[in-house]
Structure formats: C-alpha cells, structure tokens
Amino acid sequence: MYVQELQPVAGSLGLSALVAALPLVIVLVLLGGVRLKAHLAGLTGLLAAALVARLAYGMPVGQTLSGAAQGAAFGLFPILWIVVNALWVYRMTVRTRHFDVLRRSFGRLSDDPRIQALVVAFCFGALLEALAGFGAPVAICSVMLVALGFDPVRAAVVALVANTAPVAFGAMGTPVVTLAQVTGLPLDTVASVVGRQTPLLALVVPLVLVGLVDGRRGLRETWVPALACGTAFAVAQFAAANYASAQLADIGAALAGAAALAAVPHTRVPAPEAVRASVLTGARSEELDEPDPRAETVRAYAPYALIVVIFSMAQIPPVKDRLAQTTRVYDWPFLNVADPGGNPVGGNHFTWPVLATGGTLVLLAGIATAAVLGVHAGVALAEWIATVRELRYAILTVTSVLALAYVMNFSGQAATIGHFVAAAGAGLAFLSPVLGWFGVAVSGSDTSANALFGALQVTAARESGLSPELLAAANSSGGVLGKMISPQNLTIACAAVGLAGREGDLLRKVLPWSLGLLLVMCLIVVGQSTPVLDWMLP
C-alpha cells in the first residue's frame, strides 16, 4: 500500500506545495506562454507529475503508471465517448445538408439582428454546447451570424460572450461528470450546486448580447425579449440540474430560451431600418432566402428532438434503474493507495457505466438520426470514424490531462497544494472561481480545469471549513467565464469568420466582459459561503 504524505519535501508544507505545483505550472506556461500545442503540453505535464510523484513523494513507479492509466481510461470513457458521439450526430446533419435547413429556419424567425443574436448565439449555441462543446458552438454560431449579415468581428464577439452560461453542463454534462469523478463528490450534488450558480449568469448574458449588437438602443428596445429568454433559460437549467439530469440541463435550457423568445410578441416586429443598417454591415447570404419543404425542416430539428426524448426516457425510474444495473465496478489493478490517515482512496476501484452514460444515449440518438435523415449504415460508420480522426489531438489532450490529474491526486500532490491554499481562509471563497477561470482561460476547457483543480478545491475547502461542494462547483462556474478569452476559442472564432491573426482584437473586446462577469460570480460564491446566500445551496 502507498500512503500519501502531505509534507514530503524537507518536512515543509510550503516547499512541498511548490514542488507539487510544478506539473501545473509547466502545463500553464507551455500553453499560455510558449503556445505549445495542447496535447504536447498535456503529455509534458504528465511526465512532470510522474517524476514529482516518484522523486518527491516516493510513489512506486507501477502505481504511478496504473493511476495515470486509470485517468486516461476515464478520459476515454465516458468523457470522449460523449464528445465523439455528439459530434458524429452534428456531422451527419452537415453531410445531409439538414444543418443548412436549420440555419435558414433560424434566419426566418426574425429579421431583427438583436433577436437573431439571441436565437443563434445564445439558444442554439447552448444546444451545440450541450451536444458537443470543445469550441464547436463558437465556430458554428459565428459562421451563422456572418451568413445573416453580421460584421465578422461583431459575430465573433457575440458568439464568444454567449458561450458562457451553458459551458458547465456542456457535452452532455462532461465538465460536472469529471468534477464529480476527480473530487469523489456525488454527481447529483455537484450538478445541483452548479445549477444554482450558472443560471444567474444566464439572466445577464442575453442583456449583454443585445448591448453588444446594438449598444444602449439595443438594451432599451429589446430588453424584454432578452430578459424573457434569459429567465426561461435560467429556470430550465436550474430545474434540470437539480431535479432531472445534468445531461439535460443545457438542452432543456436552450429549448426553453428559444420558446420564450418565440412567445414574446416583440420578436416578430420588424426591426427599424436604422438598426439593420448599423448592425448588419456584412453581406447576407442569398442562400438564406431559399424555401425549404416543411418535411425537411422537421427532419432538420429531428436529431435534437431525438436526443431530448432518449435522455428524458432514461430518467424514468424503471428505465433508469435498468440502465444502472449494467454498471460494472472493478478493482483497478496495481493500485493500492491510502490517504495520510491510512484510509483507502476511492480510486482503487473503477466504475464503468456501460449503458447509464450520456455517450451511449447519444449513440442511440445518432443511430435513430441516421435512420430519420436517410444516412446509409456504411456512410454513418464512415462519419463516425472521420469524427474520431478529426478529434485525435483532442483525444490525446483530454486523456493526458486526466492522467496528469489522477497522478497528482493519487500521489498526494493535489492534497498538499489544497492544504497550502487553505491558508487563504475565508478569502478562499472569492479566489475559488478565479482558479477555475484561470484554468479554462489557459486550457480552453472547463473539463480540463475541473480535472486539474477540482480535488485541490475540495481539499482546501475541508481544511478551511468551507463547503467542498460549493468550492468544487465554483471552480466550474468560474471557469465558464474564462472560455471566451482562451487562446483556443479566440483562434477558433477568428478562423471561422476569416479574421486569422486578429485574436488580439477579439481579446480586447471580450476581456472586460470576462472579468466583469467573473467578479459577479466571485461575489455570488462569497455570498453562498455566508448566511447572506447560503439558503441557495441544497
């Protein structure tokens, strides 16, 4: 048995924390400073974590390698299992040109560019985040807004800022699933707390978007539909995260937000020509005026409807119990770790949810989508393989980052840093979202930031007397606000709208919003850690 030690370097917690932080520092410097490719930075950080585990903490090589293998396995299943299948569904809609039908359908909902920004960037972007994440919403929504006539810079900024509120539950809840796994906290509890933080952002972001599109006039003239959209989104996300399923949180929120927009009479009033002239400075795609048969429009919406139906059915108690019965728990080989108190850690076992996982449900929805869209089985399989090939570097990045996180957790490095950070005391509640924000700003992924800092947040919370669930959730909720300034997302946005090399221009436009909303989230978490707002927690 390997027993973790908190102060292995000269018996000093400070020196031990400094050494334990080296793998994280290396990854962050390679990503943010050297601009090394993410998968190479992840592999380098993994090597550094393994060396620290062996040389500083004395963890046996076999157990270090076994821990890294378990992290990589979790990265493949269920995390990447969800992402691959979700992007596969999207690729099939593109191949059959039903995605173009969907885009034209959005363009006909309203001719007011401020409403279009809410429909495309906020609502549809949230749906894409729910299904795929990892930069897909920014790329796709930016292109759609340009096709609607938006100036490329404005389109990119709107898409980046909109990609906030849904991120914590993106890719079928992958960030919160990862957070629960690396912290050992129950998924339902973590999702519930996150679902009491990010909905507050959803109330604000639509108002910010109409302001970005049309300034004070946009706020003055369209605050009613913006507020209706944000409120419906927030209520649905809160309800799904707390009472239904984390995997359904963004899907339900996106649909509720779109329904609220459709229900507000103001959205169907033609925009004043002065608004259109000042906002739509780009060229509108003529393709948007092509008529589409009603049957094709229904088929374009079908994949998303199928996902909602299948996930909803999976939450029916008898079905949920039946799916859960297929879950298998294994003793992980060559791994026997105890915490400093001598208690075995949960990582000595590996849980494999064969059917009770979002990726398998999305796969079933994908098979049904192929049938509805008329995609031949051979073509569907070829698209799935092409999806894996397209994501090959993302797969390497996620598995290496999860392996790094597991090595740090098993060896005791994360516990050492957590005990050291706990010295911040009450100030930890304010700093907790900042740590998540920083992690996402550098890595571009809320999933990666949760894997890197989740266990650290929990350890620090327990040492400082704060709620572990609150600080773990704050890591994810604060992280979503770093997405818009991450180099990854900025590059994706620029490439999508033909602004290659102008990442700095976009950064200057979105950074104030990122910092301002982060401050709001920090104050929310501080309030929830005190009697002022602790009634919000489950």
Side-chain angles (χ1 to χ4, degrees):
M1 177 180 287
Y2 167 72
V3 180
Q4 297 172 345
E5 188 178 351
L6 292 178
Q7 305 178 50
V9 181
S12 167
L13 182 61
L15 288 176
S16 299
L18 187 63
V19 172
L22 281 176
L24 295 178
V25 172
I26 288 171
V27 171
L28 298 178
V29 169
L30 290 178
L31 282 172
V34 181
R35 297 290 182 90
L36 192 66
K37 292 185 181 300
H39 64 281
L40 296 177
L43 290 171
T44 305
L46 172 59
L47 176 60
L51 290 174
V52 171
R54 179 70 190 113
L55 300 178
Y57 283 77
M59 189 177 190
V61 173
Q63 297 218 47
T64 302
L65 294 175
S66 181
Q70 185 180 143
F74 178 69
L76 289 171
F77 194 99
I79 293 178
L80 288 163
W81 181 236
I82 297 171
V83 176
V84 167
N85 289 324
L87 279 179
W88 173 54
V89 173
Y90 165 69
R91 284 181 65 100
M92 286 193 290
T93 66
V94 172
R95 184 182 182 95
T96 59
R97 302 191 66 81
H98 283 91
F99 184 76
D100 294 331
V101 176
L102 192 67
R103 185 174 61 181
R104 288 193 289 270
S105 174
F106 288 160
R108 288 190 286 267
L109 287 176
S110 173
D111 74 339
D112 189 327
R114 299 163 299 191
I115 304 302
Q116 290 172 345
L118 294 177
V119 172
V120 174
F122 189 68
C123 297
F124 187 60
L127 190 59
L128 291 174
E129 183 68 38
L131 300 180
F134 293 89
V138 171
I140 295 167
C141 292
S142 296
V143 171
M144 291 180 73
L145 290 174
V146 170
L148 289 168
F150 278 66
D151 170 76
V153 172
R154 198 190 307 258
V157 169
V158 167
L160 285 166
V161 174
N163 191 219
T164 49
V167 168
F169 296 102
M172 294 300 172
T174 296
V176 291
V177 169
T178 303
L179 186 61
Q181 180 72 17
V182 300
T183 59
L185 299 173
L187 173 59
D188 290 345
T189 304
V190 172
S192 177
V193 179
V194 174
R196 294 162 192 249
Q197 293 172 343
T198 56
L200 299 176
L201 291 177
L203 295 173
V204 178
V205 172
L207 296 170
V208 172
L209 294 180
V210 296
L212 286 171
V213 172
D214 194 30
R216 292 182 181 178
R217 177 177 58 188
L219 277 171
R220 187 174 62 251
E221 296 181 355
T222 56
W223 69 269
V224 172
L227 189 59
C229 176
T231 301
F233 187 103
V235 170
Q237 191 181 63
F238 165 80
N242 282 274
Y243 306 113
S245 164
Q247 287 89 348
L248 285 174
D250 280 349
I251 294 177
L255 296 176
L261 276 177
V264 176
H266 186 82
T267 61
R268 292 184 289 275
V269 177
E273 194 54 41
V275 174
R276 295 183 56 77
S278 65
V279 175
L280 301 182
T281 56
R284 178 183 170 91
S285 173
E286 295 181 1
E287 175 196 344
L288 293 172
D289 298 322
E290 294 181 14
D292 293 302
R294 183 179 295 274
E296 291 303 300
T297 302
V298 171
R299 292 173 74 191
Y301 282 91
Y304 311 103
L306 286 168
I307 289 175
V308 172
V309 169
I310 289 175
F311 270 83
S312 298
M313 290 177 62
Q315 299 307 310
I316 299 173
V319 178
K320 188 175 184 178
D321 293 341
R322 183 64 177 169
L323 294 175
Q325 290 174 8
T326 65
T327 298
R328 298 289 180 264
V329 179
Y330 302 98
D331 288 326
W332 191 260
F334 311 113
L335 192 65
N336 189 12
V337 180
D339 63 22
N343 303 308
V345 302
N348 295 329
H349 303 283
F350 183 75
T351 302
W352 181 29
V354 181
L355 295 179
T357 181
T360 302
L361 298 178
V362 176
L363 177 66
L364 295 176
I367 294 171
T369 294
V372 170
L373 300 185
V375 180
H376 189 272
V379 174
L381 178 60
E383 285 293 332
W384 193 91
I385 294 172
T387 303
V388 174
R389 178 175 174 77
E390 179 185 339
L391 290 173
R392 61 189 182 280
Y393 292 120
I395 291 171
L396 191 54
T397 299
V398 171
T399 51
S400 62
V401 168
L402 264 297
L404 159 66
Y406 270 54
V407 169
M408 291 189 66
N409 293 343
F410 286 137
S411 66
Q413 295 173 59
T416 297
I417 300 172
H419 280 74
F420 181 75
V421 171
L428 188 59
F430 185 88
L431 295 176
S432 186
V434 177
L435 188 61
W437 173 85
F438 182 70
V440 176
V442 173
S443 69
S445 166
D446 200 36
T447 299
S448 296
N450 286 344
L452 291 173
F453 300 131
L456 185 158
Q457 298 265 24
V458 167
T459 301
R462 287 173 175 155
E463 288 300 307
S464 61
L466 295 172
S467 164
E469 293 81 6
L470 174 61
L471 294 202
N475 192 84
S476 191
S477 299
V480 306
L481 299 168
K483 196 81 179 280
M484 69 178 84
I485 64 168
S486 71
Q488 253 179 262
N489 258 23
L490 290 170
T491 301
I492 288 171
C494 285
V497 298
L499 296 174
R502 293 185 60 184
E503 288 85 355
D505 295 341
L506 292 186
L507 177 60
R508 284 189 290 274
K509 290 181 178 296
V510 299
L511 181 59
W513 294 108
S514 178
L515 293 174
L517 292 172
L518 174 63
L519 176 60
V520 172
M521 182 54 65
C522 289
L523 295 175
I524 290 171
V525 174
V526 169
Q528 291 177 333
S529 69
T530 67
V532 176
L533 294 179
D534 64 356
W535 52 268
M536 294 179 62
L537 300 179

